[in-house]
């Protein structure tokens, strides 16, 4: 288990992973977002806890696979389906990356902020 590691080490671990799990214990607010974005950038297939702060980043079964909060059996079942299916891994990874590019880059964020700012000035 790793705790408080430098960002470069974190990114290396994500880049070398085959599948990324985001198994949160509870709906604790701002947890898991950095891992979501990093995994998406690295085109990794992702299994995530179905809570609003995480599921916001995904289209279920298209760019990631969700499982209910606290349901370890469902997590194991989803992992079992994904671990032996290289095509599904590749598809999810590519879709996650495309979702990142289309919605979560800093350029996209800046464009949205500019749009919001421009609208507020025009009213």
């Amino acid at each position: 288990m790793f705790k408080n590691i430098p960002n470069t080490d974190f990114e290396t671990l994500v880049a070398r992973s085959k599948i990324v799990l985001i198994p949160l214990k509870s709906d604790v607010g701002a947890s898991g977002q950095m891992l979501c974005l990093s995994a998406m950038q690295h085109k990794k297939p992702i299994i995530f806890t179905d809570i609003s702060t995480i599921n916001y980043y995904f289209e279920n079964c298209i760019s990631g696979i969700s499982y209910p909060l606290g349901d370890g059996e469902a997590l194991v079942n989803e992992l079992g389906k994904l671990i032996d299916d290289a095509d599904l891994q590749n598809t999810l990874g590519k879709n996650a990356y495309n979702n990142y590019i289309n919605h979560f880059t800093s350029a996209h964020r800046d464009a949205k902020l500019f749009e919001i700012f421009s609208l507020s000035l025009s009213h």
Side-chain angles (χ1 to χ4, degrees):
M1 177 188 282
F2 298 95
K3 292 183 180 182
N4 301 319
I5 63 173
N7 191 55
T8 53
D9 293 346
F10 172 82
E11 290 298 331
T12 298
L13 289 169
V14 174
R16 291 181 180 169
S17 67
K18 183 174 182 175
I19 297 170
V20 172
L21 304 177
I22 305 174
L24 300 178
K25 285 180 163 180
S26 59
D27 192 350
V28 293
S31 290
Q33 287 92 349
M34 188 170 86
L35 180 54
C36 289
L37 294 172
S38 179
M40 293 166 79
Q41 289 172 320
H42 289 289
K43 300 180 182 177
K44 300 300 175 180
I46 303 158
I47 299 175
F48 61 94
T49 307
D50 192 10
I51 57 174
S52 62
T53 55
I54 301 297
N55 65 17
Y56 166 79
Y57 291 94
F58 303 100
E59 293 177 76
N60 192 30
C61 298
I62 295 173
S63 57
I65 298 174
S66 71
Y67 75 94
L69 179 67
D71 191 341
E73 186 175 328
L75 171 59
V76 170
N77 287 339
E78 296 302 341
L79 180 58
K81 292 176 199 173
L82 185 57
I83 212 162
D84 292 326
D85 191 337
D87 290 335
L88 181 57
Q89 290 173 27
N90 289 331
T91 298
L92 288 172
K94 287 176 187 174
N95 290 343
Y97 178 77
N98 290 334
N99 195 35
Y100 170 79
I101 292 298
N102 292 324
H103 300 288
F104 299 107
T105 63
S106 56
H108 184 267
R109 179 204 58 219
D110 293 348
K112 283 291 187 189
L113 286 172
F114 182 76
E115 179 183 325
I116 292 166
F117 182 69
S118 296
L119 285 174
S120 68
L121 287 178
S122 66
H123 288 97

